[in-house]
Amino acid sequence: MPPLRWVLLSSRLPREPSRLRLGVWRRLRRLGAVLLHDAVWVLPAAAETREGFEWLAEEIAEQGGTAFVWEATSLDEPQNRELVRRFRAEADGRYAALAQSARDLARAARRARPRAAQRERPTALRQLRGLERALRLERRRDYFRAAGRVSASAAVTDALSALDVPRPGARPAGDDHALDHPAASAH
């Protein structure tokens, strides 16, 4: 196996405004970055991860901070394995939260009385669409195919079934047109 390459972001942020720190942290989490040490974040090296860190470094500099983007190769294979393990563990945690939300949504849909289910369906569908978007985002930042991906996808599919949302390619009774569904996007 060729050595893994990593892209790193090291930054120093001004104390105020604190919203900058929060914004940077959120962006790092959205990218799927893992905290290596103190203010050093790491992602697998790829054009899109470098670009994500470069944009963030530019934003940090514009706000009065300093940031450096590095590309590196670990000299120790066990370190690579540990980093991959950490990426997978963090992704598994996010997948587990998504799966739990989908299971809760499916359970509520199955328990609801017919009249209440109809009344609550639009809200449940909005929540389900949010889960589908979150699952797509997670797939994009799941750089090492964490095991939780399968159960999260299955839980969202189950929630779709519980809410009687047709799957892609399925034809509702009496309808000649297949409905497209955002959950069909795969990574």
Side-chain angles (χ1 to χ4, degrees):
M1 175 169 95
L4 292 174
R5 299 219 25 100
W6 304 97
V7 61
L8 295 94
L9 172 75
S10 172
S11 65
R12 174 178 257 163
L13 302 168
R15 291 213 178 272
E16 295 296 327
S18 59
R19 65 179 159 67
L20 174 61
R21 289 179 181 278
L22 182 58
V24 167
W25 180 82
R26 284 181 178 154
R27 185 76 101 15
L28 288 163
R29 301 310 296 162
R30 199 172 318 125
L31 289 169
V34 167
L35 182 62
L36 186 60
H37 191 318
D38 294 331
V40 178
W41 294 81
V42 64
L43 284 168
E48 64 273 3
T49 56
R50 274 190 298 278
E51 183 179 8
F53 272 177
E54 287 168 354
W55 277 104
L56 188 53
E58 194 173 299
E59 186 178 312
I60 289 168
E62 287 172 359
Q63 298 294 321
T66 57
F68 297 95
V69 178
W70 305 83
E71 192 167 317
T73 304
S74 174
L75 300 177
D76 186 32
E77 188 54 36
Q79 287 177 349
N80 278 330
R81 284 193 303 269
E82 174 58 20
L83 276 174
V84 169
R85 185 201 63 74
R86 287 173 60 186
F87 272 96
R88 285 180 176 151
E90 289 195 16
D92 277 337
R94 292 186 300 263
Y95 280 132
L98 284 170
Q100 186 59 52
S101 294
R103 283 191 296 271
D104 292 345
L105 189 58
R107 189 175 312 116
R110 288 187 178 107
R111 288 184 179 168
R113 293 190 181 345
R115 183 168 283 179
Q118 280 303 96
R119 198 173 47 247
E120 296 168 7
R121 192 169 196 272
T123 301
L125 284 174
R126 273 193 308 280
Q127 291 172 334
L128 182 56
R129 298 293 185 232
L131 286 177
E132 289 175 314
R133 280 189 302 278
L135 184 58
R136 283 192 306 274
L137 170 64
E138 191 52 47
R139 284 179 179 153
R140 280 194 303 272
R141 66 182 175 188
D142 179 8
Y143 302 105
F144 297 101
R145 293 204 170 267
R149 171 189 283 230
V150 174
S151 63
S153 294
V156 169
T157 298
D158 184 50
L160 288 167
S161 296
L163 288 169
D164 275 339
V165 176
R167 297 301 305 148
R171 295 175 186 256
D175 190 354
D176 292 332
H177 304 318
L179 295 179
D180 290 329
H181 198 274
S185 71
H187 183 49

